[in-house]
Amino acid sequence: MEEAVRPWGVYIHIPFCKSKCFYCDFPSYAGREAFMGDYVKALVKEIETIGALRVEAAGTPATIYIGGGTPSLLPMELLETLLAALRRIFIEADFPQGERARERAEAGAVEYTLECNPGTVDLDKLKLCRMLGVNRLSFGVQSFDDRLLRRIGRIHTGLEAMRSLHLARIAGFDNISMDLMYGLPEERLEDFRHDLQAMAELSPEHISVYGLQLELGTAFYQMQEKGRLTLPSDEETEAMYDLMADFLPEKGYERYEISSFAWPGRQSRHNLSYWQDAEYLGLGAAAHSYLGAMRYENTHDILAYIEGIRAGESVRRLEEQVTEKAHKEEFCFLALRTREGIEKAAFLETFGVPIEEIYDEAIRNLVGKKLLEETETHLHLTPLGMKYGNMAFEAFLF
Ligand code: SF4
């Protein structure tokens, strides 16, 4: 009997941004627009080679996610070239699913997301994306307060974020996610309440909310080192967290992961697959892949990526075998991020040993502290455990 192919995902990285936000440590660069044409050409070649090989081996993917950077910054003609290649290789490919692949895509069987920044989309661009198969948008909003947006280095306004959502609706998108941040410099609880309120009034199907983290190498990190950053106190940040955790479910958003809220049935399938140990193929500079117990990372350097692909060389700069120990740890702490938590049967099936045999002490300890709840089938974080997630995750490290 043929072995069933597990659902897998594709991640496409677009490393261009109009300017660098002060908190951002993602592999994205401002002022490199001149390379966009060559970059998309190289990306299409990688899609047509590495991507097609993967489809031949594993069938078409369950999810496609174009992230960055700012994918919506690509000019129309480059966006069209990229989306057409993705559609050809990953949706309409004449491989195991044959012509049914297109039907599946059109029926929404493939979750196909494009990350956008407000102020970088217009109606024509959004219509083009919809026409070429994109069925989900994720907007980096962060705040609706122009004062806060300027303070974190964002280039859009609150009004532009609202306008972008309306344009996306006109273009036919009925599955939209928006990101918010809290704990921003000089932000007060009332500011964050206002942002949550504004977000709920817009009614996107999905909302992600992140607390500000000071990452090494960012402008904010340097400002903090020099004592020039005024952040809310720990108590104020905790109050913002509590507000988020109460407010969004009251508005009908189910919290299905530590930072993610959605209308029923509108969870991000792509992100869920990361937390559920599914395989993914990353294409583009700095993209990561997780395939067959191996992790790969492409070079971060845009020029090295373009030259490497052009010369037919590998652009992977890192390849590592995921050890069984690391796999067990990741399996647990990624699954614990989700509302369902760790499925005991899935752990047993993956590692051939019941989870209690390995983590008995950690489980008792966390249950005793009311951070973890155990049912017959699952282990999942309590609301307190979600709040202090790191304590729970650490317990699952050997
Ligand atoms: S738009 Fe996104 S990827 Fe680009 S710099 Fe800002 S946070 Fe980073």
Side-chain angles (χ1 to χ4, degrees):
M1 209 170 78
E2 256 184 61
E3 205 187 319
V5 179
R6 292 188 62 204
W8 63 284
V10 176
Y11 175 78
I12 304 291
H13 191 69
I14 306 296
F16 305 102
C17 285
K18 252 191 192 168
S19 65
K20 194 76 184 167
C21 304
F22 302 154
Y23 57 87
C24 176
D25 74 335
F26 300 145
S28 67
Y29 310 95
R32 309 264 178 102
E33 287 82 353
F35 298 118
M36 280 180 176
D38 286 340
Y39 183 79
V40 168
K41 207 183 269 178
L43 191 48
V44 167
K45 192 168 169 195
E46 202 188 14
I47 291 164
E48 288 174 345
T49 50
I50 308 271
L53 273 177
R54 172 70 190 173
V55 172
E56 202 172 351
T60 48
T63 60
I64 303 172
Y65 193 102
I66 309 176
T70 310
S72 53
L73 201 56
L74 291 177
M76 286 277 275
E77 62 281 8
L78 292 182
L79 201 53
E80 184 168 5
T81 304
L82 173 65
L83 296 179
L86 288 170
R87 182 170 177 149
R88 201 167 57 245
I89 300 300
F90 292 121
I91 298 179
E92 300 175 343
D94 191 21
F95 287 116
Q97 282 101 337
E99 71 263 13
R100 297 236 22 213
R102 183 167 186 169
E103 282 168 37
R104 285 173 61 235
E106 251 127 53
V110 179
E111 182 191 88
Y112 189 175
T113 305
L114 180 90
E115 269 184 8
C116 301
N117 276 330
T120 64
V121 286
D122 56 30
L123 191 55
D124 287 345
K125 218 179 240 189
L126 291 168
K127 279 184 175 166
L128 176 85
C129 294
R130 189 68 199 93
M131 200 179 77
L132 287 171
V134 176
N135 52 28
R136 185 172 182 274
L137 297 176
S138 176
F139 283 101
V141 172
Q142 320 314 357
S143 172
F144 294 97
D145 181 329
D146 294 347
R147 179 186 56 103
L148 288 175
L149 285 167
R150 275 196 302 276
R151 201 157 282 155
I152 62 174
R154 300 291 299 193
I155 52 163
H156 66 267
T157 62
L159 199 61
E160 275 175 320
M162 293 177 186
R163 201 177 292 137
S164 297
L165 184 118
H166 292 307
L167 290 178
R169 295 291 189 217
I170 295 169
F173 286 95
D174 63 359
N175 197 4
I176 297 176
S177 177
M178 294 188 124
D179 292 355
L180 263 191
M181 291 177 77
Y182 66 91
L184 305 177
E186 291 172 43
E187 187 179 28
R188 297 156 307 167
L189 182 60
E190 279 318 299
D191 298 327
F192 185 52
R193 190 189 305 278
H194 182 264
D195 271 346
L196 285 170
Q197 200 90 43
M199 185 63 97
E201 277 165 25
L202 281 182
S203 291
E205 285 72 20
H206 185 283
I207 301 172
S208 297
V209 191
Y210 304 101
L212 175 71
Q213 303 285 331
L214 293 182
E215 305 289 354
L216 196 67
T218 61
F220 270 172
Y221 191 88
Q222 285 177 13
M223 286 162 75
Q224 172 80 347
E225 293 275 280
K226 292 179 185 156
R228 284 175 34 215
L229 201 62
T230 314
L231 295 173
S233 66
D234 288 349
E235 292 71 30
E236 284 168 317
T237 309
E238 192 173 330
M240 291 180 200
Y241 174 96
D242 291 339
L243 178 63
M244 161 200 86
D246 292 341
F247 183 93
L248 291 173
E250 275 167 22
K251 297 289 175 187
Y253 289 94
E254 288 176 359
R255 188 179 190 185
Y256 71 98
E257 187 264 346
I258 287 187
S259 309
S260 311
F261 300 80
W263 297 122
R266 296 304 191 144
Q267 295 95 339
S268 162
R269 280 160 45 199
H270 186 80
N271 288 347
L272 269 175
S273 74
Y274 289 145
W275 302 316
Q276 292 169 344
D277 199 38
E279 292 189 323
Y280 52 88
L281 173 68
L283 302 172
H288 290 242
S289 302
Y290 173 49
L291 300 165
M294 293 289 289
R295 286 198 184 284
Y296 307 97
E297 186 189 5
N298 280 357
T299 176
H300 283 220
D301 186 318
I302 296 178
L303 272 181
Y305 173 80
I306 294 170
E307 289 305 325
I309 296 279
R310 200 180 270 160
E313 294 162 1
S314 172
V315 291
R316 287 177 175 169
R317 74 164 192 190
L318 207 94
E319 294 195 9
E320 65 173 16
Q321 175 90 37
V322 182
T323 63
E324 178 146 316
K325 171 179 166 295
H327 190 191
K328 283 188 186 120
E329 291 174 350
E330 282 173 25
F331 184 98
C332 291
F333 66 69
L334 288 175
L336 279 178
R337 294 189 63 89
T338 64
R339 182 182 50 195
E340 271 70 35
I342 302 168
E343 189 188 354
K344 292 179 181 176
F347 188 96
L348 178 64
E349 192 191 323
T350 308
F351 301 107
V353 52
I355 189 164
E356 296 87 346
E357 247 179 55
I358 300 174
Y359 287 116
D360 190 47
E361 199 184 322
I363 294 169
R364 299 299 128 230
N365 196 357
L366 293 172
V367 169
K369 288 180 178 156
K370 304 205 177 335
L371 296 172
L372 190 72
E373 200 168 305
E374 182 170 17
T375 68
E376 211 171 300
T377 55
H378 286 79
L379 290 159
H380 64 87
L381 293 181
T382 61
L384 193 68
M386 286 230 169
K387 188 168 176 178
Y388 301 110
N390 283 343
M391 277 169 70
F393 303 149
E394 277 164 19
F396 281 85
L397 302 178
F398 286 107

